[in-house]
Amino acid sequence: IPTELSNLTQLTSLDLGGNLLSGSIPTTLGNLAQLTHLSLWENQLSRSIPTELGNLAQLTSLVLGGNKLSGSIPTELGNLAQLTTLVLGDNQLSGSIPTELGSLDQLTYLALYRNQLSGDIPTELGNLAQLTSLLLWNNQLSGNIPMELGNLFQLTTLDLGGNQLSGSIPTELGNLAQLTGLYLERNQLNGSIPLELGNLTNLRQLYLNDNEF
């Protein structure tokens, strides 16, 4: 990706998705102060996500999925106060999910699936009141499912499958009245299945297979 693109100071949308671009994401893209949409989806980009992307104060959509990005998710992405869509899925990202993502109160779509993320799911994600999709499947996340996820009243899809989550399913998930898909399969969950899941009358798909119930 040419660093010279950062000279396009009036640019509001940059979509380079579905190509064969390689190398790293230029840090100078963080200078495109008017940018609202940045998509580099489905390329062969590698190395880490530049912290400078956290400077893009107007950004509503950041789509970096389907690359070979590694390292941790920059905490600076928590500065993107206008962000509604964050897609980092299908990369090689590691480390924990930054608690700072819990401050993105406009976020409706959060996709971190198919990485190597570890540690607990931050309780702060329960602050994302506008969220409709939370996709964390196929990582190495551990610990309990936070009861705070039961505050995500707009959520239609919750996919935590294929991790190392343990403990019981929080009864608070029974509050997610808009939920159509709940995917908790291939974890280490135990205890009894909460009666409160019977409140989820919009649910179409419920996957609890390959746990320890």
Side-chain angles (χ1 to χ4, degrees):
I1 298 175
T3 57
E4 289 77 7
L5 293 183
S6 62
N7 298 331
L8 306 175
T9 54
Q10 300 306 307
L11 205 64
T12 61
S13 187
L14 177 58
D15 192 337
L16 302 177
N19 284 291
L20 299 170
L21 297 168
S22 59
S24 56
I25 299 172
T27 59
T28 51
L29 292 184
N31 299 332
L32 297 174
Q34 303 303 313
L35 210 60
T36 62
H37 174 75
L38 176 58
S39 178
L40 306 177
W41 176 260
E42 291 291 342
N43 280 286
Q44 298 173 16
L45 298 167
S46 57
R47 302 186 199 137
S48 58
I49 299 171
T51 59
E52 288 81 0
L53 297 186
N55 298 333
L56 300 174
Q58 303 302 314
L59 207 63
T60 62
S61 177
L62 178 58
V63 181
L64 305 179
N67 282 287
K68 299 176 180 176
L69 299 169
S70 58
S72 57
I73 299 172
T75 59
E76 288 81 0
L77 297 187
N79 298 333
L80 302 175
Q82 304 301 315
L83 207 63
T84 62
T85 300
L86 178 58
V87 180
L88 305 179
D90 208 2
N91 278 291
Q92 298 164 18
L93 299 168
S94 58
S96 57
I97 299 173
T99 59
E100 288 80 0
L101 297 187
S103 62
L104 300 174
D105 56 12
Q106 301 301 308
L107 206 63
T108 62
Y109 191 89
L110 178 57
L112 306 180
Y113 58 83
R114 288 186 68 181
N115 279 290
Q116 297 158 23
L117 299 169
S118 58
D120 293 348
I121 298 173
T123 58
E124 288 82 359
L125 296 187
N127 299 332
L128 302 175
Q130 304 301 316
L131 205 64
T132 61
S133 295
L134 178 57
L135 310 177
L136 305 181
W137 50 276
N138 281 24
N139 278 287
Q140 298 164 19
L141 299 168
S142 57
N144 294 342
I145 299 172
M147 67 178 71
E148 289 81 1
L149 298 187
N151 298 330
L152 303 176
F153 299 122
Q154 303 302 316
L155 210 61
T156 59
T157 303
L158 176 59
D159 196 336
L160 308 179
N163 280 288
Q164 298 165 20
L165 299 168
S166 57
S168 56
I169 299 174
T171 58
E172 289 81 1
L173 297 190
N175 300 334
L176 303 177
Q178 304 302 316
L179 212 60
T180 60
L182 177 57
Y183 308 93
L184 305 179
E185 78 279 2
R186 293 182 295 113
N187 280 289
Q188 298 161 21
L189 300 169
N190 56 38
S192 56
I193 296 171
L195 305 178
E196 289 80 1
L197 296 189
N199 299 335
L200 303 177
T201 53
N202 288 305
L203 206 62
R204 295 176 187 171
Q205 294 185 306
L206 175 60
Y207 288 13
L208 303 178
N209 53 288
D210 297 295
N211 278 287
E212 299 171 8
F213 297 119

